[in-house]
Amino acid sequence: MNAAPRIQTTAGRLAALGFADGARAERLLDELGPEAVGDLALLDDLVGAADPDLALTTLSRLVERDPSVLGTFRADPDLRRRLLGVFGLSAALGEHVVRHPECLPSIQWTRWPALGDLREEMLLAVGADPDTAEPVAEPAADGVTAGPGTPSTSGTPGPAMEALRVAYRNRLLHLATRDVTGECTLAEVAAALADLASVALEAALAVARAEVADAGDVRLAVIGMGKCGARELNYISDVDVVFVAEPKEGVDETKALQTATRLAQGMMRACSASTPEGALWEVDANLRPEGKMGPLVRSMESHLAYYRRWAKTWEFQALLKARPVAGDLELGQQYVAAVNELVWQAAARPKFVEDVQSMRRRVEAHVPAGEADRQIKLGPGGLRDIEFAVQLLQLVHGRSDPLLRRRATLSALAALSRGGYVGRDDAKALAEAYTFLRQVEHMLQLHRLRRTHVVPADTADLRRLGRGLGMTTDPVGEFTTTWKRHALEVRRLHEKLFYRPLLQAVARLPETEARLSTAAATARLEALGYADPEGALRHIAALTSGVSRRAAIQRTLLPVMLGWFADAPDPDAGLLGFRQVSDKLGTTPWYLRLLRDETAVAERLAHLLGTSKYVTGLLLHAPEAVAMLGSPAELAVRPAATLAAEAAAAVGRHAEDAETAVAAVRALRRRELLRTACADLSGLIDIEEVGQALSSLNDVTIQAALDTAINKVTLERRAPFPTRMAVIAMGRLGGLESSYASDADVMFVHAPLPGAAERDATGAAHAVAEETRRLLALPAPDPPLQIDAGLRPEGRQGPLVRTIASYRAYYDRWASHWEAQALLRARFCAGDAELGREFVALVEPLRYPAGGISADAVREIRKLKARMEAERLPRGADPALHTKLGRGGLSDVEWVAQLIQLRHAGAVPALRTTRTLDALRAAAGEGLLDPADEEVLAQAWLFASRIRDALMLVRGRAADSIPTTVKERVLLARALGYPPEGTEDFVEDYRRATRRARAVVERVFYED
């Protein structure tokens, strides 16, 4: 009556310890005998196994077969711990031990034998002489040689094959015990498996020699491929090989190849034939030339002839892993040395990178749909993603960097990281994921010694995997989470590295260029158009010399970037700018990593540095802005409201120090000037959008400076600020047509607050206006914004700031026609918005007179324009090439638009705009200007505006005339998108556009 509760309690305790079936575990322990039941160390080792139930079941069967095992375990706790660890993972190896319990004392558990010792052991097992690998005895089925004899030649498995399998699995068991107890790393396990496979191939070849007559007439080398060649083999995997043979002296080649073929076939059969001890694995020779359709064995010459003429890209990728593993190792080394010369030049083949990428996509497409999300080898985020990415990087960069020529994935990945081809964090993440996925793969295959790469869905199987990886709290949940995390990260990094555009660019470089030898670099620089190749070489040497990671990455980047610089208008300036920017940012961890990993950034940077001194100057003062070159989205013009908020925050952070506050705002402006210039030169925005962006940026900058000045003056006065202030944009700023070189034409207006004395308010407003101008013009690394108030009433002789009433009185009494014309551009841009609206309303009747301007006024405006053409054009300037004041230039077009506005805007609201092109479009739409004339004028204005901005971008300083020197014209034309030979086309295009515009001006403006 008391037995049942005891059994239930014990079963429950065993279940709590980790057994899935506590009652069965209790029964099996009882069957082992009282000594086993009371052996807590034995129970601890069972519970520590990945699958305690499987470990106990196997132990029970083993004890049933050989009861002395328990005594052996008590005498050797290390043996017990290792073996039970294997039993908990591998039902197949457990079955092997049950069948062959005699293997336990014969294995030296504390170390893994050297390759020579393994080879000797396997050859003895099949009755071959370790010194000659020739058969000398027929082994017995238990793996112990039975004395002299000849292996069977009947084609059916004989004792030698069985002995080979027993000896192989004994060592496989030995290795597994060291693996599951963590006594060796994944790399050591994979290398040991590859070595074990190679000595098994050698033993299988010895079996084949006993069956093939004239085996001594030929030299046969077995070349390991894939994971076997790379010494990163799985527990169960097809062993990929290629056979190469040469006749012995005096032997006919055809006969020798026939003999070698029979040897190869015999060797393959000795490994894959089914015996009472099972098979080892399939020997797969399908990576040979022509695959299954080609001869199994070829001579060295035949192999090389095929690879030189017919081989596909994937075949060179496969040869990356080639290594002699059995047979005539000297011949094998010669073969590998010969094919390596071809392997490391394969990346120069047309569309090499694209072919490898296409192959990866085909492999992935053939994964069965039901397995794709559980495939740890071929599926997305699986082992192949890592291996393909690493191999592609090796093949592309390895032709110029011998340190990358490694077979194993992890060692190759480490070399890529040391060389700067892969970021440290990326390499670490890939290595961790690769190790995890390979460990999972090994545990999957160990269970039944079957070739599989699919993670099971069964909870018990997942539990075994999780526990095998040391996850004991929630094995299924922890394992699944870790696996999915690694898979997502692998896929992300695979797409980042495998589809990196830099790969195509590097792959297309001739070898001499990829290596950047001095002679090759000099010749290439001269051929590419560098004006000072010796100076360029000094920059290259400064960037690439040394053993630092920075220099290593530069050595990868520069061969490609030199070509990109050469595609820019000024390669020498581009390379110099790149060196200067790199010197400032070279120790910044993200900079070179960004250029290496995001090729679009590197290419865009090369284009910008080789085109624009203006951009180079901005970058040198803010090199961290390189980060914005990553995508068109980063170069998109930012909304004015966003910039205003950022500027206000900067001012707020430095409220006690006006100069620091405005310096922060000017730094913001520099960054946005750079963003706009980069977008402009990259063709992402047109000239109208450039004007809008620069004008809005200037508005934000003026507003921030005005706020800072008001705060400073208020603090100095120790009294509330007595007036409202507004800034009225004029000129190109008012027209939202600012250029990179534009000053800010403005007028200041104020309105005293109720109760404030006008004199005091005017004094305070004047102090703020002066402080605003001073702060924005202070010497600094950032471009200044000059505030020009010359368009105010009475010009520079008049007061800097006026009240609304003062402006009204002046305009009512003294306003001239040119002032009304200037006010066509008036627009509120900063300060008190209500006051700004009041000012704009005040000048509306003046700039948009109800009945238009008089005929006398029209004549006066025409005379003023003619006098400007005669007097203001700089001495020596070519009127046909001056973009602002020249014939058909900006001034011509703008005065046409403004005259139409002065004459008709009072009656036509559509003309009431501060923008030139909008005014012309409205005039054409209202029938006041012929649409064809509007198009001619607009094209000339746009062309002139683009040239004026391009001059600033290219030269880094303002200019209005197309340069006369050939070099500067070439640079300007290239910046505008003309080909190198198109300089004269550019000049002629401008002359043609402005001639046509001038004809319209003569007819429409002068009514000639």
Side-chain angles (χ1 to χ4, degrees):
M1 294 294 292
N2 295 328
R6 182 187 67 79
I7 294 173
Q8 185 178 10
T9 301
T10 304
R13 187 178 302 124
L14 290 171
L17 288 173
F19 288 92
D21 188 340
R24 182 174 180 273
E26 183 186 7
R27 178 174 57 78
L28 291 177
L29 283 170
D30 285 341
E31 290 174 358
L32 290 176
E35 291 184 356
V37 173
D39 190 341
L40 295 181
L42 173 66
L43 184 61
D44 284 344
D45 287 339
L46 284 168
V47 170
D51 186 341
D53 297 87
L54 177 60
L56 179 55
T57 299
T58 305
L59 176 61
S60 176
R61 294 181 59 213
L62 179 58
V63 171
E64 183 180 351
R65 175 74 180 271
D66 183 0
S68 67
V69 166
L70 289 176
T72 302
F73 278 3
R74 282 193 296 273
D76 190 345
D78 284 341
L79 171 61
R80 179 188 66 224
R81 178 174 57 87
R82 292 187 178 101
L83 202 59
L84 291 180
V86 172
F87 287 174
L89 271 176
S90 179
L93 285 177
E95 178 66 31
H96 175 76
V97 176
V98 170
R99 263 198 335 272
H100 299 281
E102 71 280 357
C103 71
L104 297 181
S106 66
I107 297 177
Q108 188 176 3
W109 299 100
T110 56
R111 69 175 182 86
W112 182 251
L115 181 61
D117 295 334
L118 273 178
R119 179 178 179 276
E120 180 177 346
E121 181 180 314
M122 292 296 160
L123 288 172
L124 287 173
V126 298
D129 183 349
D131 294 328
T132 64
E134 296 293 332
V136 295
E138 182 174 354
D142 61 1
V144 180
T145 55
T150 303
S152 169
T153 58
S154 64
T156 59
M161 292 188 190
E162 292 187 34
L164 174 60
R165 283 147 179 74
V166 172
Y168 179 87
R169 291 220 170 83
N170 285 347
R171 280 304 172 191
L172 198 66
L173 172 67
H174 176 192
L175 180 61
T177 61
R178 303 185 74 243
D179 184 8
V180 300
T181 53
E183 296 174 33
C184 49
T185 65
L186 171 71
E188 291 170 337
V189 170
L193 286 166
D195 290 345
L196 188 55
S198 69
V199 297
L201 290 171
E202 188 70 70
L205 189 56
V207 173
R209 287 193 181 99
E211 301 176 349
V212 176
D214 302 326
D217 290 348
V218 64
R219 299 171 65 195
L220 176 66
V222 183
I223 309 299
M225 305 286 281
K227 283 183 163 53
C228 180
R231 296 186 78 228
E232 52 185 7
L233 199 61
N234 295 325
Y235 275 99
I236 292 295
S237 177
D238 288 354
V239 174
D240 296 308
V241 300
V242 167
F243 297 102
V244 60
E246 292 293 328
K248 293 284 185 70
E249 186 175 354
V251 178
D252 176 72
E253 181 176 310
T254 301
K255 181 183 176 183
L257 289 176
Q258 291 172 348
T259 300
T261 300
R262 291 195 297 274
L263 280 173
Q265 291 169 337
M267 187 202 80
M268 295 169 71
R269 184 172 59 254
C271 293
S272 59
S274 179
T275 74
E277 293 293 337
L280 293 183
W281 13 253
E282 290 292 328
V283 178
D284 189 342
N286 289 336
L287 292 178
R288 66 186 185 269
E290 300 181 85
K292 293 181 180 179
M293 306 305 294
L296 182 62
V297 182
R298 288 177 183 255
S299 67
M300 175 91 73
E301 182 182 350
S302 176
H303 272 283
L304 295 178
Y306 172 84
Y307 287 129
R308 287 176 181 138
R309 185 171 184 183
W310 303 110
K312 297 180 175 61
T313 295
W314 69 263
E315 293 178 277
F316 293 107
Q317 186 179 354
L319 286 169
L320 178 65
K321 307 286 189 180
R323 176 177 67 93
V325 293
D328 191 316
L329 296 182
E330 182 182 353
L331 176 61
Q333 292 290 4
Q334 294 171 1
Y335 173 86
V336 170
V339 297
N340 272 347
E341 294 182 9
L342 303 176
V343 167
W344 296 111
Q345 297 307 314
R349 291 161 59 95
K351 295 191 175 182
F352 171 82
V353 173
E354 293 86 343
D355 285 347
V356 177
Q357 293 169 342
S358 177
M359 173 61 73
R360 174 64 188 116
R361 288 191 291 270
R362 286 198 299 274
V363 168
E364 190 174 320
H366 283 84
V367 177
E371 294 183 1
D373 61 341
R374 308 193 73 81
Q375 254 278 2
I376 61 169
K377 179 181 179 181
L378 304 178
L383 291 163
R384 278 291 187 268
D385 272 358
I386 301 173
E387 291 163 354
F388 264 74
V390 169
Q391 290 165 22
L392 181 56
L393 288 168
Q394 281 183 276
L395 289 166
V396 169
H397 299 295
R399 59 182 177 144
S400 59
D401 188 348
L403 295 177
L404 302 182
R405 299 177 184 180
R406 299 165 187 267
R407 297 185 180 96
T409 301
L410 286 177
S411 61
L413 182 58
L416 287 166
S417 178
R418 286 193 299 271
Y421 304 97
V422 177
R424 290 189 182 94
D425 291 342
D426 291 350
K428 180 181 178 184
L430 287 174
E432 289 176 352
Y434 185 80
T435 300
F436 174 83
L437 293 172
R438 287 295 305 274
Q439 287 173 332
V440 173
E441 184 180 42
H442 281 184
M443 285 190 288
L444 287 172
Q445 295 177 350
L446 269 174
H447 185 50
R448 298 291 182 191
L449 286 186
R450 291 177 183 166
R451 185 172 177 266
T452 180
H453 309 95
V454 179
V455 175
D458 182 73
T459 301
D461 291 331
L462 293 174
R463 180 173 179 269
R464 183 180 67 254
L465 291 174
R467 286 175 59 88
L469 291 166
M471 302 169 181
T472 57
T473 304
D474 177 16
V476 176
E478 289 182 58
F479 167 74
T480 304
T481 299
T482 305
W483 167 37
K484 294 300 183 184
R485 173 173 56 82
H486 280 307
L488 286 172
E489 184 67 358
V490 166
R491 191 59 172 182
R492 181 185 72 81
L493 293 174
H494 170 78
E495 292 175 349
K496 171 183 174 181
L497 299 174
F498 194 62
Y499 296 101
R500 183 189 287 169
L502 184 65
L503 287 168
Q504 283 96 331
V506 174
R508 294 187 185 112
L509 291 175
E511 180 183 4
T512 53
E513 296 178 8
R515 291 180 182 277
L516 273 179
S517 66
T518 301
T522 302
R524 184 177 183 226
L525 291 169
E526 291 175 347
L528 288 176
Y530 285 79
D532 181 12
E534 292 184 0
L537 279 177
R538 287 194 295 272
H539 297 320
I540 293 169
L543 289 164
T544 60
S545 60
V547 295
S548 68
R549 183 176 182 82
R550 170 189 173 187
I553 297 176
Q554 292 283 24
R555 285 193 289 270
T556 302
L557 288 169
L558 270 173
V560 178
M561 293 195 72
L562 288 175
W564 289 336
F565 288 133
D567 291 336
D570 191 344
D572 298 85
L575 182 56
L576 171 61
F578 180 66
R579 178 184 176 183
Q580 293 171 327
V581 172
S582 295
D583 285 345
K584 284 185 174 287
L585 281 177
T587 57
T588 306
W590 57 264
Y591 167 61
L592 290 176
R593 183 172 67 236
L594 176 70
L595 298 186
R596 178 198 61 208
D597 294 346
E598 304 292 340
T599 313
V601 177
E603 186 171 6
R604 184 173 283 130
L605 179 63
H607 170 70
L608 293 170
L609 294 175
T611 302
S612 174
K613 290 183 179 179
Y614 182 77
V615 166
T616 302
L618 293 175
L619 270 177
L620 289 178
H621 291 299
E624 68 279 357
V626 169
M628 74 171 60
L629 303 181
S631 69
E634 284 290 320
L635 295 179
V637 175
R638 300 179 68 198
T642 302
L643 295 177
E646 187 176 347
V651 169
R653 286 193 299 271
H654 306 286
E656 302 301 319
D657 187 339
E659 292 187 2
T660 303
V662 173
V665 175
R666 288 176 63 181
L668 180 153
R669 178 172 180 265
R670 175 195 60 215
R671 184 195 70 201
E672 297 307 316
L673 284 173
L674 176 62
R675 191 191 308 276
T676 304
C678 292
D680 184 3
L681 289 168
S682 300
L684 300 176
I685 54 177
D686 61 30
I687 191 63
E688 286 190 85
E689 292 169 315
V690 170
Q692 174 79 56
L694 295 175
S695 300
S696 296
L697 179 59
N698 288 342
D699 287 355
V700 168
T701 306
I702 294 169
Q703 178 70 64
L706 182 69
D707 291 342
T708 303
I710 289 174
N711 183 63
K712 179 181 179 182
V713 170
T714 300
L715 291 173
E716 290 174 348
R717 287 166 51 87
R718 298 184 179 180
F721 195 65
T723 188
R724 295 182 297 145
M725 284 193 70
V727 182
I728 307 301
M730 303 288 286
R732 301 187 73 82
L733 176 61
L736 297 171
E737 298 162 354
S738 294
S739 68
Y740 297 103
S742 292
D743 292 343
D745 291 313
V746 303
M747 294 194 297
F748 293 97
V749 58
H750 81 105
L753 294 172
E758 183 171 330
R759 183 174 181 180
D760 181 52
T762 298
H766 186 274
V768 166
E770 289 287 13
E771 181 65 7
T772 300
R773 297 171 73 186
R774 185 188 75 85
L775 290 171
L776 290 175
L778 282 173
D782 309 304
L785 179 59
Q786 300 291 345
I787 300 295
D788 187 344
L791 292 176
R792 66 186 185 267
E794 301 178 84
R796 302 187 186 282
Q797 303 304 312
L800 181 62
V801 184
R802 289 177 182 261
T803 64
I804 279 281
S806 176
Y807 275 109
R808 179 178 292 109
Y810 175 86
Y811 287 136
D812 286 347
R813 186 172 183 184
W814 303 108
S816 63
H817 298 303
W818 75 263
E819 287 178 302
Q821 184 178 351
L823 286 170
L824 287 168
R825 301 289 198 110
R827 174 183 63 83
F828 165 74
C829 75
D832 189 291
E834 183 180 350
L835 180 59
R837 286 191 293 271
E838 291 178 28
F839 180 89
V840 170
L842 166 67
V843 300
E844 290 283 282
L846 184 62
R847 62 180 178 176
Y848 306 139
I853 58 175
S854 65
D856 288 342
V858 171
R859 282 193 295 272
E860 190 172 329
I861 289 173
R862 288 171 178 162
K863 288 179 182 178
L864 179 59
K865 176 70 170 67
R867 189 164 68 249
M868 284 177 56
E869 293 176 12
E871 299 175 1
R872 292 187 58 188
L873 193 70
R875 180 175 298 179
D878 184 346
L881 299 179
H882 198 281
T883 61
K884 182 177 180 181
L885 300 175
R887 293 190 293 270
L890 296 172
S891 179
D892 268 4
V893 177
E894 290 164 358
W895 280 59
V896 169
Q898 291 161 14
L899 182 58
I900 292 174
Q901 287 179 290
L902 289 169
R903 298 175 79 175
H904 302 288
V908 182
L911 289 171
R912 298 174 189 176
T913 175
T914 63
R915 308 190 69 171
T916 301
L917 295 186
D918 285 352
L920 292 175
R921 292 167 186 144
E926 296 292 334
L928 301 172
L929 182 66
D930 188 288
D933 290 342
E934 181 269 328
E935 183 178 355
V936 167
L937 292 173
Q939 287 179 351
W941 189 90
L942 289 169
F943 204 168
S945 296
R946 288 179 60 217
I947 292 172
R948 199 161 179 243
D949 272 1
L951 283 165
M952 181 66 177
L953 290 172
V954 169
R955 304 172 72 180
R957 60 182 187 277
D960 291 319
S961 285
I962 294 175
T964 56
T965 63
V966 174
K967 179 180 179 181
E968 287 194 317
R969 279 193 179 182
V970 169
L971 296 179
L972 181 61
R974 294 287 307 281
L976 290 167
Y978 283 83
E981 66 279 3
T983 303
E984 291 309 313
D985 292 338
F986 150 64
V987 176
E988 185 53 40
D989 286 348
Y990 180 72
R991 290 180 185 272
R992 184 184 305 109
T994 52
R995 278 199 306 269
R996 295 176 66 199
R998 182 63 183 190
V1000 175
V1001 172
E1002 297 284 355
R1003 178 161 37 80
V1004 174
F1005 183 81
Y1006 290 110
E1007 295 183 354
D1008 186 359

